[in-house]
Amino acid sequence: MNTDSANSGGRRTVAWQAVQDHVARVSATPIRRWFELEPRRFEAMSLEAAGLFVDFSKNRIDAPTLQKLIDLARASDVENRRDAMFVGERINITENRSVLHTALRNLTQPELIVGGVNVLADIRQVRQQMFAFAERVRSGDWLGHSGKPVTDVVNIGIGGSDLGPRMVCEALKSFAHPRLRMHFVANIDGDALADVLKSVDPERTLFIVASKTFTTIETLTNAHSARRWFLDKGGSEKDIARHFVAVSTNRDAVAGFGIDPANMFPFWDWVGGRYSLWSSIGLSIVLCIGPAQFEELLRGAEAMDKHFRSAPLEANMPVIMAMIGVWYRNFLDASSIAVLPYAEHLHRLPAYLQQLDMESNGKSVTRDGARVNHSTGPIVWGEPGTNGQHAFFQLLHQGSELVPIDFILPVEPTHGLSAHHQLLVANCLAQGSALMNGKSLDEVRAELVAKGVANTEIDRLALHRSFEGNRPSNTLLLNRLDAASLGALIALYEHKVFVQGVIWNVNSFDQWGVELGKVVATDIGDILAGRSAATNLDPSTQGLVARILAKGK
Ligand code: G6Q
C-alpha cells in the first residue's frame, strides 16, 4: 500500500513538500491578479457534477498549485481508500467496522456482498418497511388510540440521530406534508421536550425514538418522559404501540423500553451516526416529504457517489474541494471555514456540517497510532445569508483571520417571491466578489473626493474604509433547493471530509470524544443525586457542585 500521506511516522513526504514549494509564490499574488494571468480561469476552475455547479476560481491558488494538491491526493492513496470504503472494507479501524453509508443510497447495483451478506437486500427491505409505515401515517390510515390521524411527529434523538433528519426536514419544508408538523427533541434540558409537549395533542402525536445504540442518556430520558406524559394524558400501555416507534440497531433495548419490535426500524453498525440520515434514522424525513421525495434525496446522493467514484481526481468535485481545504488548513494556516447558505431553509446546514466535519476529522492521532505533526480538521461555522451580512461578515471583510468560505446558492426559488430571490442572488454574488476584489486606498480616496469630502477628512478615513480583498470563496450553485440537489450536496461534503481524513491520515469514522461525553456525566449525576460524595472531583468542579447543591436547598 502507498503510504505517502501527510504523516507517515512523522516524516513530510515528497508530494507534501511539492505543495509547500508553491506557498510563497502564490501568497504574493492576489486572487484577482490570477484572472489576468489565467484568462480562462473561471472555465478551468469550475465544475459541474450530480446537478451541482461549483466555482472555485475565487481561491488563492493557481493551476500548477492545484495540480500539486491533486498529486498529493493521489500519492496519499485517496483512490484506493475511496474504493475500500465503497466495497465495505473495515476502514473504521478503531471500531473494526465497515463504513457503508453509500450503500444506503445505492439504488442501482443488484447486490453488494459484505461479510457474506447482500447488504443492499437488507437495506431495501427496511426501506420498504419505512415507506409502508410512512404511507399509512401520511394518508391518515394510521390512527392514534382514539381513532384520530397523526398531526405531529416528534423525533427524539441526539447528534447523528437528530442533526441530519432535522436539517433535511427544514431544508425541504417546501415539500412537506401539509398535515404533519415535525418536531425534534435532542437536548436533555427539559425545556426542549416541555416546549414540544405543550404544543401537541397526545391523541394525534407519533414519537420516533431514534438511537443507534438505544443507550444514549439524553434520548432515553426524553423518551421515558414522553412516555410518562402520554400515559398521564390518558393513553394506556397498550396504546403505546400506536404512538411510539423506534429506530435503532439494538432490538433488545427497544423491547426493554416497551416498544413493540414490530414498530422498530433497524439499521446496522456499519452506518455511522453522522452518516445515518439515509438509513431508517431518516424515518422522520420520509414522514415529512414522502417516499418518492426521499428516493430523490437518495438519488441525488447516489449521483454524487458515482461522480466521486469515477471522475479523475483532477475533475472530481469532492476531491478538489477537499484539497483546496487542505491548502488553506495546512499551507496557509486557516483554522476555520465558513459555510454560508443563501437559503433560509438551509439554516441548519452549518450545524449539520459542524458534526460531519468536526466529529470526523477533529483527531490528533494517525491511523498508524502516532501523534499527527500537521493540523487536522478546521472549525466549521456559518449562518444563512443575507442575515450574516449584517453581523459577522465584518470580520470576513476586514478582520485579521483568513476564513475560506463556501457560498451555497439555489438558482431557482421554491417560492413565488421572485423579486426577493433576485436580491438574494445579487447579495450572494456581490459578497463573493467584494471579498475577493476588495477596495484599494486609491479607490476609496477617489470616492470620497467625488463626494466632496475635505482632504484632511479623507486622510483620516481612507484606511478604515478600504478593503484589502483577496478573501477566498467557493460558490456552489444548486438548480433549486430540492431533494435531489440536497442529496448531492450532503454527499459532496461527506466525501470532501473523507478525502481530507485520508490526507491527514486519521480515522474519520470514530468519535471517542463523543463517547467520553457519554460517560463523564454519570459520576457527577450520582453526586448531584446524593448517591456518592464529590471526593474524586477536581477542586474547581467540586466548588461548582457545592455551590449548585447549596442553591438547590
Ligand atoms: C455520530 C455520533 C453521535 C451519535 C449520538 C447519538 O456520529 O456517534 O453524534 O449519533 O451520540 O447516538 P445514538 O444514536 O446511539 O443515540
Side-chain angles (χ1 to χ4, degrees), residues 157-163 210-216 219 267 272-276 281 355 359 511 514-515 518:
I158 197 164
S161 301
D162 167 74
L163 287 158
S211 175
K212 178 174 169 179
T213 55
F214 228 79
T215 57
T216 305
T219 300
F267 62 113
R274 55 195 171 278
Y275 299 90
S276 64
I281 286 289
Q355 183 192 29
E359 199 170 314
Q511 55 283 315
V514 175
E515 308 302 336
K518 291 188 180 188

Side-chain angles (χ1 to χ4, degrees), residues 412-458:
E412 296 289 332
T414 43
H415 54 75
L417 303 169
S418 55
H420 288 238
H421 194 68
Q422 219 167 59
L423 285 170
L424 181 81
V425 172
N427 270 279
C428 180
L429 299 185
Q431 287 294 330
S433 171
L435 284 159
M436 176 181 76
N437 289 310
K439 195 188 271 186
S440 68
L441 264 178
D442 286 348
E443 287 170 301
V444 174
R445 283 183 173 283
E447 247 178 43
L448 294 175
V449 167
K451 282 186 184 156
V453 178
N455 276 344
T456 49
E457 193 62 358
I458 292 178

Side-chain angles (χ1 to χ4, degrees), residues 128-138 142 206 208 245 263 265 283 287:
Q128 282 322 310
Q129 185 198 349
M130 277 164 77
F131 283 4
F133 174 72
E135 293 285 22
R136 288 193 64 192
V137 175
R138 287 168 59 84
W142 179 277
L206 175 73
I208 303 171
V245 299
N263 291 341
F265 301 85
L283 181 61
L287 286 162

